[in-house]
Amino acid sequence: MAAPLPVEAATGGVLRIAMTAADLPTVTGIPNNGGEGYRFLGYPVYDALVNWDYAHPNELADVTPGVFESWTIDPGNPTRWIFKLRAGVSFHDGSPLVMDDVVWNLRRVWDKDAPQFDPQSSPIVRSVVNVLDRWEKIDDGKIAIFTKTPFSFFPYMLTYNLMASPRQWDKMGKSWAGFAKAPSGTGPFKISRVVPGQYVEMVRNENYWNKARIPKIERMIVYPMAEATTRLAALRSGQVDWIEVPPPDAIPSLRQAGFDISLWPYPHCYPYVLNCAPGTVFNDVRLRQALNFAIDRDGLCSMLNGTAKPAYGFYPPDNPIFGKPTLRYGHDPDRARALLREAGYGPDKPAHAKIMISTSGSGQMVPIPMNEFLQQNFAAVGFNVEFDVVEWGTMIIARRSPQSQQTSHGDDGLNNSLGFADPSTMFRLFASSCFPPAGQNWGKFTDPEFDDAAARSQLTFDKTEQLKLLQRQHEIIVDKAAFLFICHDLNPRAMSAKVKNFQPAQSWSQDFTQVTVR
């Protein structure tokens, strides 16, 4: 352990968690460190305008009212959404949440002239909520938010807009650095202590507006521990009660020792995001398809001890959006070699690419041994792949920045785990209008038919038509091999037998309010 854990943390009613992050996610209401940041220091502390619903574990988590208790579309203007503010919500500093606070938080992200504008964190939200155009406060109970075009999936995007207290920001010197020392949100947990680089302690919010989600535990403490072996040692020694992503080869012995292993599907894909821009190696669809036929997905998942399942697309085959792609990628080295030959490569002219990979991170599973396994698969078909190994935070910044910037290191792809909780995710990742910073299409994948299907799916509110158009989008990205589709994580966690009542949700975030520790 890099730092001693608080002695009092060993008492009852306290949940101690080791994350995969190399450093603490930011605590100011726009967490960095990807999904793990929002999981542990986002949603537990802050409500979003629209929250995630954890109550149906056998289904993909859907949205549920948060700070906004309801919403409607203006029947005369499909770009105008009218949201009603929930009454009776208070910040942890005791001040009530009012509509002006919603506007203040929106200006934090989109108004560069606002005193509270947050240039470091706002790109995290803007890269996802990329269709918001403007807003108008109607009265103290309602606000109109306008999208750039009609966008039926818009409420899903607002799960990224968390509410921080303007009064606390003022009190802490009108700076986000000051606010980080004593944050204030409206969530079920309140941050009581921040020790930079070491841990964050949260306590139960007895006054949380949703009485069914007032936490059962007294406190929750989260620690950054990027090394899987460090997390494992902390769990075995009793220094923590719960670890994210236990080493796959340690799972049998953990079970034998009485620890509980949680495995549950969630909207996760582990891909290579490939640079498809003109003049790049992966501009040729045959090379992208060759990679997809080269890898042994079953062998990789076996190496991971059943903590993942093979990916044959961005969505898994059991999801209705998967559709009916023409290509079904399996381990077919001969077909991979044939595609490489067709593209002009062979023993005398091997294909070559450099992929950015991370040492750890949210949804990244165990990236070093996984990529070493894949590297052997690539070499077996005559494709030389080298790795640019970086910290997780470096990759996140690269993905939401134009690939021409220095942040991408001139790499040909990013091994960046991604989610599909939001039906508009494919639009942000693959539409030609979503090249960074306008979206998250780092690889500059371009397909006119995809763009058309994406645009039409956003225009309609008919669920049957939406599904048909989403299926077509997915069929295109699979057949065109927009990514190297590797596997879907099963969200492994290991925890002490003292931890009770945790029901994993099919979500990147989780509900810690029902957990008990005894």
Side-chain angles (χ1 to χ4, degrees):
M1 302 294 294
L5 306 186
V7 173
E8 70 274 12
T11 61
V14 179
L15 178 63
R16 301 163 299 164
I17 298 177
M19 304 179 292
T20 68
D23 197 2
L24 286 171
T26 47
V27 295
T28 58
I30 304 180
N32 60 7
N33 274 287
E36 192 171 48
Y38 269 81
R39 182 183 312 138
F40 290 112
L41 291 172
Y43 300 117
V45 182
Y46 300 89
D47 281 304
L49 295 176
V50 176
N51 282 340
W52 289 110
D53 183 0
Y54 308 116
H56 307 284
N58 293 318
E59 304 170 6
L60 206 62
D62 207 342
V63 291
T64 192
V67 166
F68 289 153
E69 70 174 11
S70 63
W71 49 86
T72 58
I73 286 280
D74 183 337
N77 181 356
T79 69
R80 184 174 185 259
W81 292 75
I82 301 169
F83 295 91
K84 183 180 179 182
L85 184 67
R86 183 182 300 278
V89 177
S90 296
F91 288 106
H92 301 149
D93 57 32
S95 64
L97 172 73
V98 296
M99 187 61 79
D100 287 340
D101 299 333
V102 173
V103 172
W104 187 91
N105 276 278
L106 292 173
R107 294 184 68 202
R108 173 191 182 182
V109 176
W110 280 281
D111 186 353
K112 294 181 179 179
D113 295 325
Q116 71 272 24
F117 179 70
D118 191 345
Q120 289 186 318
S121 299
S122 61
I124 297 172
V125 178
R126 291 201 310 270
S127 68
V128 175
V129 193
N130 62 341
V131 300
L132 187 147
D133 184 40
R134 59 190 175 91
W135 55 84
E136 291 177 358
K137 177 184 171 183
I138 299 172
D139 55 36
D140 288 343
K142 292 180 181 177
I143 189 171
I145 301 181
F146 295 78
T147 55
K148 297 173 183 176
T149 61
F151 203 89
S152 57
F153 307 120
F154 185 57
Y156 286 90
M157 291 185 166
L158 297 184
T159 59
Y160 275 78
N161 288 94
L162 310 185
M163 295 294 101
S165 169
R167 265 75 62 196
Q168 189 72 356
W169 186 81
D170 288 342
K171 178 182 176 182
M172 300 306 294
K174 297 188 175 183
S175 77
W176 290 109
F179 184 89
K181 297 176 182 177
S184 177
T186 65
F189 288 91
K190 302 186 291 186
I191 290 179
S192 54
R193 189 177 185 190
V194 180
V195 181
Q198 297 185 30
Y199 63 89
V200 172
E201 180 185 74
M202 292 162 273
V203 298
R204 178 170 54 215
N205 179 10
E206 301 281 3
N207 299 314
Y208 188 52
W209 59 267
N210 186 346
K211 303 308 178 187
R213 295 191 65 237
I214 293 176
K216 303 293 191 292
I217 52 175
E218 297 171 9
R219 287 180 294 149
M220 181 165 72
I221 307 171
V222 295
Y223 307 90
M225 293 187 197
E227 291 292 332
T229 53
T230 304
R231 294 193 299 276
L232 179 63
L235 179 66
R236 287 190 185 278
S237 65
Q239 293 176 299
V240 298
D241 310 297
W242 168 320
I243 63 173
E244 297 286 278
V245 194
D249 58 358
I251 287 176
S253 64
L254 284 169
R255 283 186 169 129
Q256 290 174 359
F259 293 96
D260 292 328
I261 303 298
S262 172
L263 294 174
W264 206 250
Y266 71 120
H268 171 282
C269 183
Y270 189 79
Y272 282 4
V273 180
L274 303 174
N275 183 355
C276 305
T280 65
V281 64
F282 291 123
N283 180 248
D284 190 329
V285 66
R286 294 169 295 188
L287 271 74
R288 305 196 302 264
Q289 292 170 340
L291 280 192
N292 273 284
F293 282 114
I295 64 172
D296 180 5
R297 294 170 176 82
D298 291 329
L300 179 68
C301 292
S302 177
M303 184 192 82
L304 295 172
N305 229 329
T307 60
K309 60 183 181 180
Y312 303 103
F314 188 59
Y315 284 82
D318 59 2
N319 189 294
I321 293 175
F322 187 85
K324 297 179 179 179
T326 302
L327 294 179
R328 175 70 172 218
Y329 298 117
H331 187 209
D332 192 340
D334 290 337
R335 190 166 182 180
R337 293 186 192 99
L339 285 162
L340 290 172
R341 283 196 303 271
E342 187 180 322
Y345 296 93
D348 297 330
K349 185 188 175 184
H352 178 271
K354 184 173 67 167
I355 306 297
M356 183 182 290
I357 69 173
S358 69
T359 53
S360 63
S362 175
Q364 293 294 91
M365 308 171 72
V366 282
I368 300 300
M370 291 174 71
N371 277 288
E372 290 172 345
F373 180 97
L374 295 172
Q375 191 177 43
Q376 294 175 6
N377 288 170
F378 303 141
V381 301
F383 204 127
N384 295 332
V385 173
E386 63 174 305
F387 298 130
D388 176 18
V389 184
V390 301
E391 291 289 335
W392 175 228
T394 300
M395 183 181 293
I396 292 176
I397 293 171
R399 182 169 60 85
R400 66 170 183 256
S401 304
Q403 59 180 233
S404 58
Q405 292 188 3
Q406 201 62 28
T407 51
S408 291
H409 301 176
D411 293 341
D412 300 301
L414 311 176
N415 174 216
N416 190 151
S417 57
L418 297 165
F420 50 83
D422 170 358
S424 69
T425 301
M426 287 191 292
F427 161 71
R428 292 194 300 275
L429 293 176
F430 303 106
S432 59
S433 62
C434 290
F435 297 164
Q440 298 176 334
N441 186 356
W442 177 89
K444 292 190 174 181
F445 175 80
T446 302
D447 185 273
E449 186 184 355
F450 176 91
D451 289 345
D452 177 69
R456 288 193 290 135
S457 70
Q458 296 151 16
L459 289 172
T460 181
F461 288 82
D462 182 281
K463 296 295 185 184
T464 301
E465 184 66 13
Q466 280 181 355
L467 177 59
K468 177 182 174 182
L469 292 165
L470 290 168
Q471 288 173 335
R472 185 62 196 133
Q473 292 169 55
H474 191 256
E475 289 163 358
I476 291 168
I477 64 171
V478 171
D479 289 337
K480 296 291 182 71
F483 284 177
L484 168 61
F485 305 105
I486 302 170
C487 64
H488 302 291
D489 184 25
L490 293 177
N491 225 358
R493 299 180 167 96
M495 54 194 73
S496 163
K498 297 186 301 181
V499 178
K500 304 293 184 184
N501 301 320
F502 172 63
Q503 173 57 66
Q506 293 191 38
S507 171
W508 281 70
S509 53
Q510 298 293 328
D511 185 8
F512 302 102
T513 65
Q514 306 306 304
V515 175
T516 59
V517 180
R518 51 179 178 166

